[in-house]
Amino acid sequence: MATTLITGASSGIGKELAIQFAAGGDDVVLVARSEARLNDLADQIREDQGVGATVICSDLATTDGVDQISQQLREHAIDIDTLVNNAGMGALGKFAELSIDRQTDMLMLNVVALTRLTRALLPGMIQRGRGGVLNVGSIAAYQAGPNMSVYYASKAYVLSFTEGLREELADTGLHVTCLEPGPTESSFAEDSGMGKLDMFSSSTMSAQTVAKAGYEGYRDNQDVVIPGWKNRLMVTSTGFLPRFATRKLVGKLQGV
Ligand SMILES: NC(=O)c1ccc[n+]([C@@H]2O[C@H](COP(=O)([O-])OP(=O)(O)OC[C@H]3O[C@@H](n4cnc5c(N)ncnc54)[C@H](OP(=O)(O)O)[C@@H]3O)[C@@H](O)[C@H]2O)c1
């Protein structure tokens, strides 16, 4: 029986990814800060899918929070086969006006926690010769994002890190995949302040559809999964335009 750890499993894409992995037969370890929501999901997964579900409450914007996860896994003697680094946050606004604490939390969560958890769990996967890493980035990875500069840069890191890791692990049999969603229905739009933007009112995908594409792409060991033809078209066209043009365009969409 394989075990998958999903960060940010209390809502949105992470919750749906946990359901997908459980439906595929994996035991799951659910990580986020909201204990009650994680416990409800664990109960639902045990009942519906008949697999094991363990809850670990942790604030991944702190180094201690990330390191506690490894400690709790050791205490419960749980080996992780697949790590899903999904937890993430965004914040709309000018860099010089948003609080530095909020933007530092974003880097801790979107970049440092993902990197630290991967470093903690990967040696065990390599030793056992199975499993892998599914990182949740964003189509924001493909260009700069004025009025959300730290978020876009953090997602460019996720894509670059995942691709580098994939090459490093090419001979190990491990799967390494980056899921790059576009606008998706979840708490993210409201929490980041992006809910008022046209890109969220005009065209969003359900978290379930995005998670299913990510799960299947990871299972098939695809390098990058961009769910939805509109998102794929956007990323492809970005590749044909000069970077000064794409950042201007995103700036206009995000109110600069
Ligand atoms: N929704 C979109 O349009 C969209 C588009 C592209 C990419 N993404 C990416 O998709 C991923 C999932 O986002 P989502 O849309 O599903 O948003 P969401 O519903 O807001 O989920 C975010 C998850 O991250 C967890 N989280 C936030 N801060 C945390 C912290 N400090 N420590 C531990 N967990 C924390 C939240 O749980 P707690 O609050 O319980 O801690 C929640 O489970 C993110 O990486 C996001 O950047 C989303």
Side-chain angles (χ1 to χ4, degrees):
M1 176 77 78
T3 303
T4 294
L5 183 147
I6 305 104
T7 68
S10 62
S11 69
I13 299 168
K15 179 178 178 180
E16 297 299 335
L17 279 165
I19 292 169
Q20 289 288 327
F21 276 92
D26 283 12
D27 285 344
V28 290
V29 177
L30 311 173
V31 178
R33 293 168 301 180
S34 312
E35 190 167 13
R37 279 197 267 163
L38 291 178
N39 281 326
D40 286 349
L41 178 62
D43 287 344
Q44 180 193 325
I45 282 176
R46 285 186 208 107
E47 200 173 307
D48 294 351
Q49 269 85 32
V51 297
T54 305
V55 165
I56 298 181
C57 276
S58 177
D59 183 351
L60 295 175
T62 67
T63 310
D64 281 355
V66 178
D67 294 346
Q68 271 164 26
I69 296 176
S70 311
Q71 200 181 316
Q72 291 207 36
L73 291 171
R74 272 194 301 275
E75 280 169 18
H76 291 96
I78 299 175
D79 287 334
I80 298 301
D81 296 294
T82 295
L83 168 63
V84 182
N85 282 306
N86 159 78
M89 62 179 281
L92 183 70
K94 292 196 193 314
F95 173 72
E97 291 167 12
L98 289 172
S99 101
I100 189 59
D101 288 343
R102 189 162 176 212
Q103 297 188 89
T104 305
D105 280 354
M106 198 192 309
L107 286 171
M108 290 297 290
L109 184 64
N110 297 8
V111 172
V112 178
L114 168 145
T115 308
R116 230 178 148 80
L117 261 183
T118 305
R119 179 63 184 82
L121 300 179
L122 195 55
M125 295 174 193
I126 294 171
Q127 201 179 21
R128 290 186 294 277
R130 63 166 203 262
V133 182
L134 171 59
N135 286 332
V136 181
S138 164
I139 56 168
Y142 295 90
Q143 65 283 300
N147 254 8
M148 235 181 157
S149 297
V150 172
Y151 178 76
Y152 277 61
S154 75
K155 293 301 182 180
Y157 173 91
V158 174
L159 176 58
S160 175
F161 172 65
T162 312
E163 288 188 302
L165 203 61
R166 183 176 168 92
E167 288 310 307
E168 288 181 30
L169 297 170
D171 296 333
T172 61
L174 300 190
H175 290 198
V176 182
T177 298
C178 198
L179 170 61
E180 306 279 51
T184 305
E185 289 151 27
S186 75
S187 322
F188 178 85
E190 210 51 49
D191 293 349
S192 63
M194 292 182 88
K196 57 190 173 208
L197 299 178
D198 281 351
M199 64 174 92
F200 271 90
S201 51
S202 57
S203 166
T204 53
M205 293 179 72
S206 76
Q208 189 184 24
T209 306
V210 169
K212 187 168 185 291
Y215 171 73
E216 289 173 352
Y218 170 76
R219 193 189 55 196
D220 298 343
N221 198 20
Q222 285 179 31
D223 50 0
V224 174
V225 178
I226 301 171
W229 68 268
K230 283 185 193 163
N231 294 325
R232 285 195 290 277
L233 183 65
M234 195 139 41
V235 168
T236 307
S237 4
T238 299
F240 290 113
L241 293 169
R243 283 183 75 81
F244 78 82
T246 54
R247 67 179 179 252
K248 280 253 175 273
L249 193 66
V250 174
K252 289 271 172 274
L253 292 172
Q254 291 181 171
V256 176

